[in-house]
Amino acid sequence: MTGTVDSAEVAKFSAIAAEWWDPAGKFAPLHKFNPVRLAFIRQEAAAHFSKEARALRPFEGLSLLDIGCGGGLLSEPMARLGFAVTGADASERNIGTAAAHAAQSGLAISYRAATAEALVAEGLSFDVVLNMEVVEHVADVDAYLAACTALVKPGGLTLVATLNKTLKSLALAKVGAEYVLNWLPRGTHDWNRFIPPAELKASLEKTGLSILKTQGVSFNPLGWDWKLSADTDVNYMIVARR
């Protein structure tokens, strides 16, 4: 893998690929985070494509790419909602874990050990491209986002989730999550790679996307869960249209 892929980051996640589906393992924070992400994606996609969000399979007939899909924690529920899902990841071990779990779950998901650039070279495009917690791990953010935008069909939707570069995110998402609470393996994130929303929006707009929404996500220590909020100081998601 070359281009925008950071081989050290790929190796880091490949080493723990077998743990993707363990809700008490190294990806436990993502399992806790997932319901909020899923509800938000469902809401935004339904509004954009004029679908009934509460329908059983509202997105039949639409295609979705989950780029940097890891073990498939988002790909599987998206397939259950009716999307024709392609999951792509630079780590072959992640793809192996994802494909095995999808087979056990009886889900037809096309998993690819491939980069965004490789998918562009194939001439592929999708109605929705999910780009969740990936940009902080790539070697060249602008080049990576340009490739991802090329994978969105005209009129299509993309959602990008990442971490803001603030002292609050350093304290909570880096020091707190990795060294105090041990939610994540130490070294999972490099705070220097975190991206302020204004910077990410500018990079997305340079690729030709129109920003539709910026959404903060906050951890609630009382309920020990995540919720959508106006606070973008740590976690946030951007919705954009091509």
Side-chain angles (χ1 to χ4, degrees), residues 28-37 133 163 172-173 177 183-184 216-221 223-229 231 234-236:
L30 274 183
H31 285 269
K32 293 287 288 184
F33 196 18
N34 233 19
V36 174
R37 297 194 302 173
E133 289 82 40
L163 292 145
L172 298 180
W183 281 355
L184 298 169
V217 188
S218 301
F219 180 69
N220 175 16
W224 208 249
D225 58 9
W226 295 86
K227 63 179 181 180
L228 299 180
S229 76
D231 185 355
V234 182
N235 294 84
Y236 68 95

Side-chain angles (χ1 to χ4, degrees), residues 57 60 64 74-85 107-109:
R57 292 174 62 84
E60 292 278 7
L64 178 144
L74 284 173
S75 296
E76 290 199 10
M78 291 297 107
R80 290 191 175 94
L81 289 174
F83 281 113
V85 175
L107 294 170
I109 297 172

Side-chain angles (χ1 to χ4, degrees), residues 22-191:
D22 180 1
K26 290 184 172 64
F27 294 103
L30 274 183
H31 285 269
K32 293 287 288 184
F33 196 18
N34 233 19
V36 174
R37 297 194 302 173
L38 293 171
F40 183 73
I41 294 165
R42 185 174 189 161
Q43 166 194 310
E44 294 301 314
H48 185 75
F49 293 104
S50 300
K51 302 292 186 180
E52 175 50 62
R54 290 174 291 184
L56 187 63
R57 292 174 62 84
F59 304 116
E60 292 278 7
L62 294 175
S63 59
L64 178 144
L65 171 66
D66 183 7
I67 189 77
C69 64
L73 298 188
L74 284 173
S75 296
E76 290 199 10
M78 291 297 107
R80 290 191 175 94
L81 289 174
F83 281 113
V85 175
T86 297
D89 199 283
S91 165
E92 292 189 10
R93 291 190 65 183
N94 282 347
I95 290 299
T97 296
H101 197 274
Q104 292 170 359
S105 302
L107 294 170
I109 297 172
S110 175
Y111 279 118
R112 305 279 305 276
T115 64
E117 299 96 314
L119 298 178
V120 171
E122 291 182 34
L124 299 178
S125 60
F126 305 84
D127 296 298
V128 178
V129 173
L130 298 184
N131 203 330
M132 313 300 275
E133 289 82 40
V134 182
V135 293
E136 67 269 25
H137 299 291
V138 301
D140 185 327
V141 173
D142 284 342
Y144 170 72
L145 290 175
C148 289
T149 294
L151 293 166
V152 184
K153 291 181 180 179
L157 198 68
T158 187
L159 293 93
V160 183
T162 190
L163 292 145
N164 198 348
K165 191 175 184 181
T166 62
L167 291 177
K168 186 174 177 181
S169 71
L170 176 61
L172 298 180
K174 177 62 182 177
V175 178
E178 295 182 19
Y179 293 87
V180 179
L181 297 172
N182 293 315
W183 281 355
L184 298 169
R186 294 182 179 186
T188 296
H189 289 118
D190 178 351
W191 182 79

